[in-house]
Amino acid sequence: MTMTIEPLTPAIGAIVSGVDLAQPLTDEAFATLAEALLDRQVLFLRDQVLTEVQHRDFAARLGPLHIHPIYPRSADVPEIMLLDTALNDLRDNALWHSDVSFLERPSLGAVLLARTIPPLGGDTLWASAAAAYDALPATLQAYLATLSATHDIAKSFPADRFDADTLAAAKRNNPPVVHPVIRTHPATGRKVIFVSEGFTTGIVGMEPTMADPLLAMLYTHFTRPEFTVRWKWRAGDVAIWDNRSTQHYATYDYGAAHRVMNRATIMGDRPV
Ligand SMILES: O=C(O)CCC(=O)C(=O)O
Ligand SMILES: [Fe+2]
């Protein structure tokens, strides 16, 4: 099979064809895919038929895997997280976020497989926080580089939608953390806006009256259509994203329809 990588927008995204993730990739094919991921930040593959073990094993080539403190996981393969509307209210992913930024070492990226997709709706959007950074005026880039922000698991997991004991333990084990507002991508060297609606609660040393509008301005900026790509899922699609340089938003516009996604999450570095 010949791998082809077709970019989707100038800033972000590509469709990859000619790859079967159920088979172990050659080192060369894997290196091509990993390079495309750094460059395009989110990759989409159609028609993948994967067991949970194959899904996990592919993701594990990108790095050690993380087990989420709150979301349900597969009974057989705990590294496979279940995003199933029959198990959880998933409206909380309908806001821009970079996964698990409440950890001291947020994730490097994720491999998401669509299992059941509503007849209409449930698209997911990704934004390039690197392209968005590049478009900021230099004076603002320099100022933002002096700031740090707090990230808190409590912001995205409201008490009324999750099991109280699980939530209490997750909050106890994951106290708020501080990350730079602008991080440098460890592999590409690109600078990235690293605050999100999902988990950022404030800017260190700044009153909310100033920090909140500054954060809101950044969220509005990096989600401009020029920096985003929107994916319309079919069952069997896989998205692989770099969680250090992107944010994403899972649209919740499908009412009571059933939607099931499986995610493997790769652990990352401490942002600097
Ligand atoms: O359900 C989706 O499309 C994405 C949900 C999400 O935010 C994630 O898997 O990290
Ligand atoms: Fe997410």
Side-chain angles (χ1 to χ4, degrees):
M1 275 197 286
T2 329
M3 193 187 313
T4 56
I5 297 159
E6 179 197 340
L8 282 165
T9 78
I12 184 170
I15 298 187
V16 178
S17 46
V19 177
D20 176 4
L21 297 179
Q23 312 294 333
L25 299 185
T26 63
D27 287 345
E28 195 191 343
F30 182 76
T32 305
L33 200 69
E35 196 182 300
L37 179 60
L38 288 177
D39 179 35
R40 299 312 305 162
Q41 303 156 70
V42 56
L43 304 177
F44 303 100
L45 296 87
R46 295 279 197 195
D47 303 319
Q48 301 295 314
V49 182
L50 292 182
T51 64
E52 290 178 340
V53 168
Q54 288 165 333
H55 181 179
R56 176 199 65 197
D57 290 351
F58 167 71
R61 275 186 84 172
L62 290 160
L65 301 180
H66 174 251
I67 297 183
H68 198 277
I70 295 177
Y71 280 123
R73 59 193 71 131
S74 152
D76 303 324
V77 184
E79 296 87 352
I80 298 296
M81 187 180 104
L82 309 176
L83 291 160
D84 181 338
T85 52
L87 301 177
N88 280 108
D89 180 337
L90 294 171
R91 275 174 291 171
D92 301 306
N93 285 323
L95 87 181
W96 288 95
H97 65 280
S98 171
D99 294 323
V100 296
S101 74
F102 55 81
L103 299 175
E104 277 193 4
R105 295 164 166 267
S107 88
L108 175 155
V111 179
L112 186 67
L113 168 65
R115 294 253 179 226
T116 304
I117 291 298
L120 191 61
D123 298 356
T124 307
L125 292 87
W126 280 262
S128 171
Y133 172 86
D134 292 344
L136 291 172
T139 45
L140 187 52
Q141 289 176 338
Y143 174 61
L144 293 172
T146 67
L147 303 177
S148 301
T150 45
H151 295 243
D152 190 338
I153 190 172
K155 196 174 175 201
S156 264
F157 295 98
D160 55 332
R161 296 201 208 143
F162 293 89
D163 168 70
D165 292 342
T166 309
L167 211 53
K171 286 180 191 171
R172 221 173 25 249
N173 297 332
N174 296 277
V177 296
V178 171
H179 295 308
V181 167
I182 305 299
R183 75 181 288 189
T184 305
H185 192 290
T188 65
R190 286 184 85 179
K191 296 228 162 94
V192 175
I193 300 171
F194 198 67
V195 286
S196 75
E197 255 180 303
F199 297 112
T200 305
T201 47
I203 293 184
V204 177
M206 197 183 282
E207 291 296 328
T209 49
M210 291 180 80
D212 293 350
L214 180 60
L215 290 167
M217 181 275 286
L218 290 174
Y219 305 154
T220 304
H221 171 71
F222 76 67
T223 57
R224 278 172 54 191
E226 289 80 354
F227 310 132
T228 71
V229 64
R230 178 173 182 140
W231 188 249
K232 193 168 179 50
W233 295 97
R234 296 197 306 235
D237 287 354
V238 167
I240 310 169
W241 68 90
D242 187 324
N243 207 41
R244 302 163 296 189
S245 57
T246 64
Q247 305 225 3
H248 55 280
Y249 182 113
T251 314
Y252 184 78
D253 57 356
Y254 48 88
H258 194 200
R259 185 172 184 276
V260 184
M261 312 294 277
N262 289 175
R263 188 177 95 193
T265 311
I266 302 116
M267 295 201 277
D269 298 329
R270 189 170 189 143
V272 285

